[in-house]
Structure formats: C-alpha cells, structure tokens
Amino acid sequence: MTLEERFDVILAAEDKIEPADWMPDDYRKTLIRQIAQHAHSEIIGMQPEGNWISRAPTLHRKAILMAKVQDEAGHGLYLYSAAETLGVDRDQMQTLLHQGKHKYSSIFNYPTLSWADMGTIGWLVDGAAITNQVMLTRCSYGPYARAMVRICKEESFHQRQGYESLIRLCSGSPEQKAMAQDALNRWWWPSLMMFGPHDTDSTHTEQSMEWKIKRVSNDDLRQQFVDMTVPQADYLGLVVPDRDLRWNEERGHYDFGEIDWEEFWAVVKGNGPMNRDRIEHKVRAWDEGAWVREAALAHAAKKEGAIT
Amino acid sequence: MSEPVISTAPQGAPASDSSDPVRALVAHADDNLVLAQRLGDWISRAPELEEDIALGNIALDHLGVARALYSHAGHLEGKGRTEDDFAMQRPEREFLNALLVEQPNGDFAHTMVRGLLFDAYQVELWTDLSGADDSTLAGIAGLALKEARYHLLHTSSWVIRLGDGTEESHRRAQAAVDALWRYTAELFEGAASEYHDIWRKVVGEVLDEARLQIPDDPYQRSGGRRGFHSEHLGPLLAEMQWMQRSHPGLEW
Amino acid sequence: MTYEVPVAPGESAELEETADLATEVWPMWEVFVRARRGISHVHIGSLHAADAEAALQNARDVYTRRGEGASLWVVRSSEINAFEPDDISDYVDANEKPYRLATTYEIPDEVGHM
C-alpha cells in the first residue's frame, strides 16, 4: 500500500489522521490555515467581550463574563497546540497574525456598544460557533477533533448564559428591551456572515468535505442556524432585522434575505469597524510583554546553569 | 531598616472600628473586589496566553471571595443589602479597601509585586479567620486560604523570575517594590505585631531570592481602611458602577 | 465556515507558515492529568512555559479550570521519544501471535467465569 492509499483508507474508515501519519501537503496546509484562523479568532474574540468586564452591571455577570473571556484564551491555546502538531510554531502564527498575514473571523471586527451585546454575542455568535464546532468534533484530524471536543464541552455554558441574560433584558424595562433589540439589529447580519460565502462561491468547501475536515456546507449550516434562532428571537419578543424573513412551509425552513456581500468582503479585506484596533491591541500587549518573556527565559537559563 | 512612619488620615476621619464585624467583612470584601477589578484589566493584555488564563483565575478567585463576604455582611447587617448594593451603590468614601489594591496595574512587574505583597498578607489573614467563631466566615476563609496560597506561589515565582531575570526585568521589579512598599504597613494596622513580622519574613525571603532590596524609605501611607483613598479608586469605581448608576433599580 | 476566513477575490489562498521572531520563544511542554486517585495520568494537551515550575502552574491554570485534575505531570515536548505508527507496524503484528489473546482459548461453560 502506498502512503497515499493508506491515508485514504484511514479517511474512508472514519478513523483519525494523527500527527506522525503521512498526509498530502494540501491537507496539511488546509488544516493549518483553518486551525490557525480558528485559534486567532478565539484570541481576538477576547477583546470585544473583554471590553465589558470592568462595566458588567452585577458581580454575578462580571464573574460569568470573566470566566467566558478566559475560556476563550484557553480555547485559543488548545487550538494553537493542535496546529503545532502540524509543524508550525505558535509564536510564528501569532507573529503572522500581528503582521496581518493571518486572519481571524470577521465577526470580531464589530464593536461592542452596549451591555446587551454581551448577551447577543453569547446567543448568536457562540450559537453560530457551536453549530460549526459540533461538526468539527468529527473532523478527520485527531488533534483538531480532540481540541474541539474539549472546547465544545467547556463552551456549552457560553450560549446559554447569553440567552439567559437576554431573557432578563427582554422581560425588564422598556429601556432594557430596546437595548436588546438594538444589539440584535447590529449583530444579526454579521452573525449570518460568519458562515462564509455561498457554497457556489466558496473555494475550499469541496476539497475540505472530501478530506472530512469540513462536514456540512456553509449554506446548510447557515440555514440550520436561522431555523434555530428565529424562534428564539420570537420567544424574546425581538424582531429579526430582515424583511424577507418568513417560514417556507414547502421547504420546511425559513427563507431569509441576502447578505450584504459588499460589507462582507470589505470586513474580510481589513476594512471593518474594528480591524485595526483589534490588531493594535494585540500587538501592543505582545510588545509590552516581550521583556517579561525574555526575563523568564533568562531566569530559567540561570537556574539550569546552577544545577549542572 | 527603619521603623515605619505611618501617616495619619485627615483629622476627623472615623476611626476604623474592628469591633464592628460588618465593617470588617466589608473592608476585606472591598480588598478582593478592587483587586479583581484591577486584575480583570489584564485579560487579553498579558505577556503570554498562559498568563492571561492565570490572571483570569486569580481575578475570579478574588471576585468570588468578595461576593461571599458581601453577602455575609448583608446578612449580619440585617438591612437587606445585597452583594451588588455593596459593590455598586456605595460612594468612594464608604469603600474600606487598603490603598495597595487600588494602585494601578502598571507594568507586569508592578502587578506581580502588588500581588506578592497582598497575597502574603491574605494567607495570614485567612489562616487566622478560618478559625473564626463565625462559622460562615470561617468557611469562606478556609476556601480563600487555599486560593491565596496558590496566588502567593504564582506571584512569588514571578517576582523571583523578574528580579533574577534580565537587567531590564530586575530594574522594573525593583521600581515596583520601591513604589508599592509604602502601602504595606496599612494592611497590618490594628493587628498584633507578630502578623507584620511573619509577613516581613515571607516577603523578605522572596525578595532575597529575587535579588531585590526592601527600600530604605520609612514613609508609609494609610487611610484606605477609613475611606480615605488615593486618586486611583474614584475612576475604578466610576467605571465599575456605571451601569447601575445610569440605569438605577433594574435587574440584569 | 464559522471561524475560517474566506479568500477575498484577488488574494492568495496560500497561508504563510513562518515568520522571523523578534525574541526567543518559551519551550513547549506536554501535560498529563490524573483525574482521580487510582487511575493513570493521561495526556491532556500542551502549553508553553519558560521552566518546569511555570509549566506546572500554567498546567494547573489552563487544564484544571473546572476541577479536572488531582495530579499533574509536565514533560518538555522535546524530551519525548516516540515510535511512529509506521515503525510500530513494521515490528509488531498482533495477528501473528494469537496465543497472546485470551479469546483464543476455549474453556467449557460449566467451569464458570474465567
């Protein structure tokens, strides 16, 4: 059996590819791309929510938010580790992110403007992420699939806390409910954009599905998400900002309007509201930490020298 | 080393009354809340990912202790005040935290040195209070003691790494000790001198290993426990209390 | 795909994998957790740290946030020696030694559980 045949047999058997296995170079590249972007997204994703830790309205909400943002750091770390099994270094990936050569999910290029954004991000953004991540626990690459199992387990509280916090706002004062509606208005479309271009315009989908890195297409996942969230918006008494949204009895799904693809590509290319701020924040933290990282290494070297 | 000179708070300040159990609980809760608020600012700004997570854990520990102490204080006081009433509805002058914890994060060395000085104090405090007659307080203290011991381990190993790391890290760590040392005597105000002695020994050993000097500056600041703060607390509270102040009386 | 960024028209799909680093990086460690007494340590993930003490503290903070671990080991990743899957199958084929497997022996039912 050739190496390539062996790889195909493992895939066909729904078995996992492990780091030391031979794999096609493009499989490896596709994985690095996807895992690195996923990791970067978790790390940059700490900022929009981190923006509200100091202002959370109650100590209970402050604790939840802090734990959630901290979880995101953990998830980024697990994912970087998974990418490292493919022979790329975490610090190199971070440096490439800082240089704008690696990207992260566009959703985090939108600003968090009110407290209701915290609940809405949990509900919609984490909701969209879960739709996708549950699929990724079945991904063919072992370290990625294992990282996703751990992440999904830890993340189960993220979406629920968000929705629960919105229930509180929507059953509160008119001012609170308006805050929630305003947040939904701003986050709905960017959330739908998270699923990416239409399948017909998606360059990677077909190959990724064949390799079992990706298991459901962009449009199918997006439809799943809409079908799931519209009744949840109804329950909250909030209006989804889409005039074309209606139940299609025949299809058994919601029909919904077209995404503003111009905005979509503008944000992907770096021209969203917060693209620059996010990277500046990240680079500043990294640069300001350089002397600390160096000191730790210098101290470790001294200690090793002392022992031998 | 010279004996510390403790500055007195402005005339007319209400004296700290340690015989008032509610007041004592609130003071300890305030320490923990203010420090949690400070540490929360590090999340997404730490030198490495691992440290983002570590600082997040420490912040969450302090926040948890603050909440437990406020709730217990509210219960003892019997006026129906909740943890959020204490945290969000009191003006600056009613906050009784020590000045040390409200000092700005500064660089990573400042945050670690502030942590070391405070954690060494808290380990003693919780050891003491875990034997309190008040069984609720003793329970909170028992849990907090475990956490404080880990915080002390984390901050002391960092202070050693920084003090005995590179020239730059040594310089920064020494600057932090010099800046923060004057906020330490306040932690032991009204306590038997043995407590301060034990603390000096614990902290002294860490600083020794870190090749850092205790500043030869006898001047010590005080006043936080009586509600007289530095200018740093006001902005912290303004930010923390902003939601409750601008939308009064709502549930979140 | 949720966290995957699409390739914008006119942009290269090729992702760079190496960058010049301004500073040296913390080495990588593998983390093993024993969830409770009586069972073995199991590999749970990896992390970066400058020294063993920091690696242990980081392991506690990163991998036991929900009280998962009773005992932790950390090992420098570079210290791990490994047999690659292909090497192992070159040397060992369990099917060649069926007498090592309990199921190859027939014991009469009346003897009871064995």
Side-chain angles (χ1 to χ4, degrees), chain A residues 48-183:
Chain A
E49 289 174 286
N51 181 32
W52 280 87
I53 290 177
S54 65
R55 290 176 292 165
T58 68
L59 299 186
H60 178 57
R61 295 287 173 202
K62 190 190 290 290
I64 293 170
L65 190 58
M66 226 185 239
K68 182 171 187 278
V69 176
Q70 188 210 25
D71 271 351
E72 282 154 13
H75 298 168
L77 194 151
Y78 307 156
L79 288 161
Y80 281 129
S81 299
E84 282 179 302
T85 64
L86 293 160
V88 280
D89 191 271
R90 180 173 100 190
D91 294 277
Q92 295 194 329
M93 286 183 272
Q94 294 205 75
T95 304
L96 290 161
L97 171 69
H98 299 163
Q99 294 171 346
K101 291 174 180 164
H102 276 200
K103 288 180 177 170
Y104 54 89
S105 176
S106 287
I107 191 75
F108 302 118
N109 287 318
Y110 290 87
T112 51
L113 303 178
S114 85
W115 170 251
D117 290 25
M118 297 303 100
T120 309
I121 286 177
W123 172 38
L124 295 180
V125 176
D126 291 311
I130 289 166
T131 307
N132 183 55
Q133 290 175 349
V134 168
M135 165 190 85
L136 288 173
T137 60
R138 296 185 290 124
C139 155
S140 62
Y141 187 58
Y144 194 22
R146 286 194 288 277
M148 291 318 304
V149 169
R150 195 175 172 82
I151 289 172
C152 284
K153 212 166 85 184
E154 295 189 347
E155 210 155 68
S156 57
F157 97 85
H158 291 188
Q159 190 188 16
R160 291 172 67 98
Q161 66 80 29
Y163 194 70
E164 187 228 44
S165 133
L166 286 176
I167 292 177
R168 189 63 66 85
L169 293 184
C170 291
S171 58
S173 72
E175 177 193 16
Q176 283 172 306
K177 184 149 187 191
M179 201 185 267
Q181 180 64 55
D182 170 63

Side-chain angles (χ1 to χ4, degrees), chain A:
Chain A
M1 209 189 319
T2 66
L3 290 170
E4 185 146 19
E5 282 164 356
R6 192 166 169 275
F7 173 83
D8 291 338
V9 167
I10 295 174
L11 276 195
E14 291 284 325
D15 219 342
K16 300 292 181 202
I17 305 294
E18 292 296 340
D21 287 327
W22 180 90
M23 58 188 87
D25 199 40
D26 281 342
Y27 175 85
R28 183 180 155 275
K29 280 187 175 157
T30 303
L31 273 172
I32 290 176
R33 179 191 170 83
Q34 185 172 326
I35 302 173
Q37 289 182 344
H38 195 162
H40 297 327
S41 301
E42 296 280 357
I43 298 308
I44 296 293
M46 295 167 72
Q47 292 179 35
E49 289 174 286
N51 181 32
W52 280 87
I53 290 177
S54 65
R55 290 176 292 165
T58 68
L59 299 186
H60 178 57
R61 295 287 173 202
K62 190 190 290 290
I64 293 170
L65 190 58
M66 226 185 239
K68 182 171 187 278
V69 176
Q70 188 210 25
D71 271 351
E72 282 154 13
H75 298 168
L77 194 151
Y78 307 156
L79 288 161
Y80 281 129
S81 299
E84 282 179 302
T85 64
L86 293 160
V88 280
D89 191 271
R90 180 173 100 190
D91 294 277
Q92 295 194 329
M93 286 183 272
Q94 294 205 75
T95 304
L96 290 161
L97 171 69
H98 299 163
Q99 294 171 346
K101 291 174 180 164
H102 276 200
K103 288 180 177 170
Y104 54 89
S105 176
S106 287
I107 191 75
F108 302 118
N109 287 318
Y110 290 87
T112 51
L113 303 178
S114 85
W115 170 251
D117 290 25
M118 297 303 100
T120 309
I121 286 177
W123 172 38
L124 295 180
V125 176
D126 291 311
I130 289 166
T131 307
N132 183 55
Q133 290 175 349
V134 168
M135 165 190 85
L136 288 173
T137 60
R138 296 185 290 124
C139 155
S140 62
Y141 187 58
Y144 194 22
R146 286 194 288 277
M148 291 318 304
V149 169
R150 195 175 172 82
I151 289 172
C152 284
K153 212 166 85 184
E154 295 189 347
E155 210 155 68
S156 57
F157 97 85
H158 291 188
Q159 190 188 16
R160 291 172 67 98
Q161 66 80 29
Y163 194 70
E164 187 228 44
S165 133
L166 286 176
I167 292 177
R168 189 63 66 85
L169 293 184
C170 291
S171 58
S173 72
E175 177 193 16
Q176 283 172 306
K177 184 149 187 191
M179 201 185 267
Q181 180 64 55
D182 170 63
L184 177 60
N185 293 348
R186 284 180 289 111
W187 289 96
W188 176 256
W189 288 106
S191 300
L192 292 194
M193 292 179 197
M194 284 178 74
F195 295 93
H198 284 310
D199 296 339
T200 45
D201 303 326
S202 181
T203 37
H204 288 304
T205 300
E206 215 171 297
Q207 179 66 79
S208 288
M209 304 255 300
E210 224 167 83
W211 278 332
K212 299 182 179 175
I213 293 173
K214 180 171 181 169
R215 318 218 53 157
V216 186
S217 79
N218 292 355
D219 284 328
D220 288 349
L221 279 172
R222 184 161 28 231
Q223 181 71 59
Q224 240 179 57
F225 175 76
V226 172
D227 291 345
M228 181 181 79
T229 44
V230 170
Q232 292 168 350
D234 289 345
Y235 179 85
L236 293 171
L238 296 178
V239 182
V240 174
D242 178 358
R243 272 184 228 162
D244 298 324
L245 183 79
R246 61 184 58 83
W247 178 251
N248 183 326
E249 195 62 56
E250 205 176 305
R251 289 202 309 128
H253 291 292
Y254 282 94
D255 290 338
F256 54 98
E258 196 57 43
I259 285 170
D260 178 351
W261 295 107
E262 212 169 295
E263 176 182 328
F264 176 89
W265 290 114
V267 184
V268 168
K269 286 180 183 168
N271 297 316
M274 298 297 286
N275 295 55
R276 286 182 192 200
D277 305 69
R278 296 292 184 236
I279 293 298
E280 269 172 28
H281 176 119
K282 181 75 178 64
V283 171
R284 195 182 317 121
W286 186 250
D287 289 349
E288 284 175 359
W291 67 270
V292 178
R293 296 191 299 275
E294 280 165 21
L297 283 173
H299 180 72
K302 282 185 196 177
K303 271 202 312 194
E304 266 178 38
I307 294 164
T308 47

Side-chain angles (χ1 to χ4, degrees), chain B residues 14-198:
Chain B
S16 171
D17 181 4
S18 56
S19 66
D20 177 352
V22 172
R23 199 178 158 88
L25 285 173
V26 168
H28 296 313
D30 289 346
D31 276 355
N32 284 279
L33 176 61
V34 169
L35 189 55
Q37 183 78 0
R38 282 281 182 240
L39 292 174
D41 277 345
W42 272 104
I43 303 177
S44 86
R45 293 182 178 88
E48 256 297 8
L49 265 181
E50 283 81 1
E51 198 54 31
D52 268 317
I53 297 170
L55 289 169
N57 277 343
I58 297 177
L60 280 167
D61 286 346
H62 285 303
L63 183 55
V65 171
R67 293 177 65 190
L69 291 173
Y70 285 136
S71 296
H72 187 45
H75 177 74
L76 286 187
E77 187 188 50
K79 291 181 191 162
R81 281 208 278 183
T82 65
E83 57 177 45
D84 288 319
D85 291 332
F86 283 108
M88 305 293 182
Q89 305 291 352
R90 281 178 307 149
E92 182 183 326
R93 290 278 281 100
E94 289 177 26
F95 269 76
L96 303 175
N97 60 280
L99 297 174
L100 178 65
V101 292
E102 73 197 42
Q103 297 310 304
N105 284 339
D107 62 10
F108 189 70
H110 260 76
T111 293
M112 287 298 126
V113 169
R114 184 185 62 197
L116 166 68
L117 303 177
F118 185 69
D119 299 340
Y121 152 75
Q122 278 213 316
V123 167
E124 283 189 75
L125 174 75
W126 300 132
T127 303
D128 201 36
L129 290 180
S130 56
D133 292 337
D134 174 344
S135 64
T136 306
L137 173 59
I140 297 169
L143 196 70
L145 175 60
K146 281 190 195 174
E147 295 172 347
R149 280 189 181 134
Y150 181 71
H151 303 163
L152 179 60
L153 178 69
H154 191 75
T155 52
S156 53
S157 51
W158 263 116
V159 169
I160 291 166
R161 255 177 232 126
L162 298 178
D164 189 19
T166 61
E167 237 172 79
E168 179 179 11
S169 70
H170 178 81
R171 179 177 55 74
R172 287 174 181 265
Q174 185 63 57
V177 175
D178 292 347
L180 295 169
W181 192 259
R182 62 179 51 182
Y183 301 108
T184 54
E186 183 185 29
L187 299 169
F188 298 95
E189 262 176 14
S193 64
E194 298 95 88
Y195 289 98
H196 203 166
D197 294 342
I198 294 171

